[in-house]
Amino acid sequence: MGKLLIVANLKSYKNENEAKNWLENFKKISELNLDPAQKEAIVCPSFTQLFSFFSYFSSNNINASLGAQNVSPFDEGAYTGEVNAKQVKDFAAYVLIGHSERRNNFKETEEMLVQKVDMALRYGLTPIFLVQGKETPIPEGVKIVAYEPVFAIGTGNPDTPESADTVAGVIKTARVDLSVLYGGSVKSTNVKSFTEKSNIDGVLVGGASLDAEEFIKIIQNA
Ligand code: PGA
């Protein structure tokens, strides 16, 4: 197994002040002395916080990467309200695409998700593509997938590590070059049970990552 990716999805939480507090607490990540060849922490805040996170990470030598939670399916242009991949790339290396909350609440279609992946790749962003099960289509060019069964998101009821490992294994059988993360009710006390599985290359954490200290524990225990 290669390095583990530990991803925080802060969703639509935290205004500027709350984000500052989160960052102050997250500074302690340096105490983990992470070996970048072993573990990479990736934080995905809202668009409005990307710049503050970017500046804070650079000026405090924070050993973590940044990701966006979404990206426009279009290139730059007359698309009011959209944030495109070229703009995101100024601050982030990764982008989440295909979260079930976006598929369900914003009616994002498979076709639109393919466009988003294409835009991300065109501007050098690495897509982390979310699938809800082993049948979810994975667009070409994707190298990192996160399996998040809907029943496990925000419920405190994660999938079993065995089932997640099986799904990750099936996904990898079809596409051997993929890394597969697990997401859904991951916390510091259960993270290891997922990351110790042979087909699981990391985790995507929602609720538990809203507390920076808990997210650091998750990174530590992974
Ligand atoms: P959760 O969310 O950790 O709160 O279950 C995961 C996600 O939606 O990415």
Side-chain angles (χ1 to χ4, degrees), residues 160-192:
T160 62
E162 292 68 31
S163 160
D165 188 50
T166 303
V167 174
V170 172
I171 292 171
K172 286 182 176 185
T173 314
R175 296 265 295 266
V176 284
D177 59 333
L178 289 177
S179 293
V180 182
L181 318 182
Y182 167 74
S185 298
V186 172
K187 49 189 181 178
S188 59
T189 49
N190 66 14
V191 63
K192 187 77 188 172

Side-chain angles (χ1 to χ4, degrees), residues 9 11 99 101 130 148 152-156 183-186 204-208:
N9 172 12
K11 305 196 180 186
H99 195 289
E101 288 159 8
L130 286 93
E148 289 203 343
I153 298 177
T155 57
S185 298
V186 172
L204 178 47
V205 189

Side-chain angles (χ1 to χ4, degrees), residues 11-221:
K11 305 196 180 186
S12 189
Y13 290 103
K14 304 205 183 290
N15 64 9
E16 191 63 10
N17 251 335
E18 291 160 344
K20 279 202 177 103
N21 285 335
W22 192 96
L23 285 167
E24 281 302 318
N25 291 326
F26 191 60
K27 219 167 150 181
K28 295 193 204 91
I29 189 181
S30 60
E31 291 165 18
L32 297 184
N33 285 317
L34 286 186
D35 173 355
Q38 300 288 316
K39 282 181 195 174
E40 178 178 354
I42 302 169
V43 183
C44 305
S46 297
F47 284 132
T48 50
Q49 257 84 54
L50 264 185
F51 175 69
S52 334
F53 275 66
F54 176 78
S55 320
Y56 194 91
F57 279 19
S58 342
S59 49
N60 293 279
N61 286 320
I62 304 262
N63 185 6
S65 307
L66 280 171
Q69 297 171 18
N70 183 26
V71 70
S72 175
F74 299 108
D75 208 336
E76 61 181 345
Y79 302 104
T80 303
E82 285 299 281
V83 178
N84 66 64
K86 184 180 168 191
Q87 295 172 316
V88 171
K89 179 62 185 170
D90 284 342
F91 308 111
Y94 295 90
V95 58
L96 304 180
I97 296 177
H99 195 289
S100 58
E101 288 159 8
R102 296 215 55 90
R103 293 175 191 257
N104 298 335
N105 297 312
F106 303 97
K107 310 291 173 247
E108 293 193 354
T109 61
E110 299 294 348
E111 191 188 6
M112 195 189 290
L113 298 177
V114 168
Q115 284 177 269
K116 289 181 180 221
V117 167
D118 287 348
M119 278 301 147
L121 295 174
R122 179 177 306 178
Y123 287 102
L125 282 170
T126 301
I128 299 175
F129 191 82
L130 286 93
V131 302
Q132 289 67 48
K134 52 186 190 304
E135 270 83 40
T136 310
I138 300 169
E140 245 172 75
V142 167
K143 294 273 190 284
I144 305 171
V145 161
Y147 160 58
E148 289 203 343
V150 173
F151 69 81
I153 298 177
T155 57
N157 174 31
D159 199 352
T160 62
E162 292 68 31
S163 160
D165 188 50
T166 303
V167 174
V170 172
I171 292 171
K172 286 182 176 185
T173 314
R175 296 265 295 266
V176 284
D177 59 333
L178 289 177
S179 293
V180 182
L181 318 182
Y182 167 74
S185 298
V186 172
K187 49 189 181 178
S188 59
T189 49
N190 66 14
V191 63
K192 187 77 188 172
S193 65
F194 292 99
T195 54
E196 71 189 6
K197 292 290 180 200
S198 60
N199 291 310
I200 297 180
D201 305 296
V203 287
L204 178 47
V205 189
S209 71
L210 294 175
D211 174 348
E213 291 181 21
E214 166 68 1
F215 185 54
I216 291 175
K217 271 191 217 150
I218 290 171
I219 299 166
Q220 185 170 23
N221 294 351

